[in-house]
Amino acid sequence: VPRAEREMRPVYVGADPMRGTYRRNHEGDFHCTREEVAAFFRDASPVSVDMRVLTEMDMSVFDMETIRDYRNRFMQLHQNHPWTNLQDDIFLRKIGAVGVSPEDKKIHPTVAGLLMFGYEYEIVREFPGYFLDYQEHFDESMRWTHRTTSNTGDWSGNLFDFYFRIVSRLVSDFNIPFVLNGITRVDNTELHTAIREALLNTLVHADYYGRQGTLILRSPSMIMFSNPGDMRISIRTAVEGGVSDPRNATLMKMF
C-alpha cells in the first residue's frame, strides 16, 4: 500500500479522524493518537505553519540582543541591502518574524519569529514540548562531557542563538587542509558545509508542536541529529535529493 501524500493525510475509517486513523508500521497497522492525527492535519496545510500570527503576544517576547546579532550578520552578508537601515519592526516584518493581525491591526510575532528570536520562557507558552539539547559524549565514565540546553535561563534559548552556540563545537576538531583562494586561506571544507546543513535542517524541519525535543549528540564515532515530526517526503526522495518540503518555510528563509 503506497504512503499517502501529506496533503491527503490523515486517511481514516468512519467519520471521526481522531478515532479512525491508523498508520502502517512494517508488521501491522496501529491506531494513531490524537497528537499524531493533529500532526497530520498540520502537515496537510498548504500554508507553512510558522507563518501564523500569534495575536496573544507582542514584541516583548523577543530578545533584542538576538535581533541585533541577526541584523549585524545580515548586514555583513548583504551589504547595501535596502532592508539594513529599516527600523526593527519593519525589518522583522520583511523577514516574516512579525505580522499584522486582521483583528486589532497591530503587529504581533509570528510562530517563526517567536522560535527564532524569542525568549525560551515565552516560546514554551506556545510550544510546551520545546527543548533544544546538544550533548558531547567523549568520556564513558560521565553522562556527558559538555551539554547545552535551551532551558537554563542564562541565555535566550531561541533557535538562532542555539545554532551559533553549537555549530562551532560540532566542527571544532575537523581537519582543514591548506587551501588558498588568492592570498586568503579557505577555512572551510565540504564536511563543514554538510554539518552546518544538517544542523540547519534539523531546526527548520522540526515539528515544534510535538512532544519530543530536538537533540544533537556528538561522540567520537558519530554525530546524531534528531527532531520531532515525521518526514514530509519519502525516504527515497530524500536520498535522491533535489526536492525540499520545509515544515517551517519562514524559518528556512530567515536562516
Side-chain angles (χ1 to χ4, degrees):
V1 178
R3 171 178 171 173
E5 298 295 331
R6 68 172 177 85
E7 295 86 357
M8 300 180 67
R9 287 180 248 156
V11 178
Y12 56 93
V13 178
D16 185 357
M18 292 299 176
R19 295 184 178 183
T21 300
Y22 294 79
R23 65 186 301 165
R24 179 149 295 177
N25 186 15
H26 301 293
E27 62 273 358
D29 296 336
F30 297 86
H31 189 257
C32 291
T33 66
R34 297 181 70 89
E35 289 182 353
E36 290 174 317
V37 176
F40 285 144
F41 279 118
R42 286 196 298 271
D43 280 345
S45 172
V47 179
S48 179
V49 68
D50 66 348
M51 293 178 64
R52 186 166 63 87
V53 178
L54 302 172
T55 56
E56 70 281 7
M57 295 185 175
D58 57 27
M59 297 277 285
S60 65
V61 303
F62 291 147
D63 181 350
M64 298 308 297
E65 188 173 334
T66 303
I67 292 175
R68 283 193 293 271
D69 190 9
Y70 182 93
R71 296 201 65 170
N72 287 335
R73 292 178 185 273
F74 184 94
M75 190 180 303
Q76 293 170 9
L77 291 170
H78 307 283
Q79 295 183 10
N80 302 318
H81 194 284
W83 294 357
T84 55
N85 294 320
L86 296 175
Q87 295 181 353
D88 283 341
D89 57 346
I90 301 175
F91 176 83
L92 292 174
R93 189 173 180 185
K94 293 285 188 183
I95 65 173
V98 299
V100 176
S101 167
E103 287 82 14
D104 61 12
K105 310 302 181 185
K106 295 181 180 179
I107 290 178
H108 300 276
T110 61
V111 166
L114 176 65
L115 289 166
M116 191 75 160
F117 303 120
Y119 293 105
E120 184 270 346
Y121 57 84
E122 301 285 6
I123 296 174
V124 295
R125 288 170 52 197
E126 178 68 20
F127 307 98
Y130 176 87
F131 184 62
L132 308 177
D133 190 0
Y134 170 70
Q135 300 178 18
E136 293 178 357
H137 296 257
F138 293 107
D139 187 341
E140 294 183 357
S141 66
M142 305 171 64
R143 290 186 64 186
W144 55 74
T145 51
H146 173 82
R147 191 181 189 191
T148 296
T149 62
S150 56
N151 64 348
T152 56
D154 56 352
W155 64 289
S156 69
N158 58 47
L159 296 186
F160 183 79
D161 289 341
F162 181 75
Y163 177 91
F164 284 102
R165 272 178 174 255
I166 73 169
V167 69
S168 58
R169 299 192 67 95
L170 284 170
V171 300
S172 60
D173 57 356
F174 288 5
N175 292 325
I176 302 176
F178 186 78
V179 178
L180 293 177
N181 180 10
I183 61 173
T184 304
R185 181 174 179 179
V186 179
D187 293 327
N188 198 29
T189 67
E190 290 184 354
L191 184 56
H192 287 76
T193 302
I195 293 299
R196 289 197 298 268
E197 183 85 2
L199 175 59
L200 175 61
N201 280 326
T202 302
L203 298 179
V204 302
H205 288 290
D207 181 1
Y208 290 103
Y209 284 103
R211 185 178 298 181
Q212 174 192 350
T214 299
L215 172 65
I216 294 91
L217 191 153
R218 183 170 177 249
S219 72
S221 60
M222 71 170 185
I223 301 178
M224 183 190 76
F225 301 87
S226 173
N227 62 6
D230 288 341
M231 290 187 68
R232 287 158 62 99
I233 58 178
S234 68
I235 299 294
R236 176 180 295 181
T237 301
V239 171
E240 290 175 352
V243 177
S244 180
D245 185 14
R247 177 171 278 114
N248 300 294
T250 311
L251 280 177
M252 179 169 282
K253 170 187 169 184
M254 289 180 183
F255 271 111

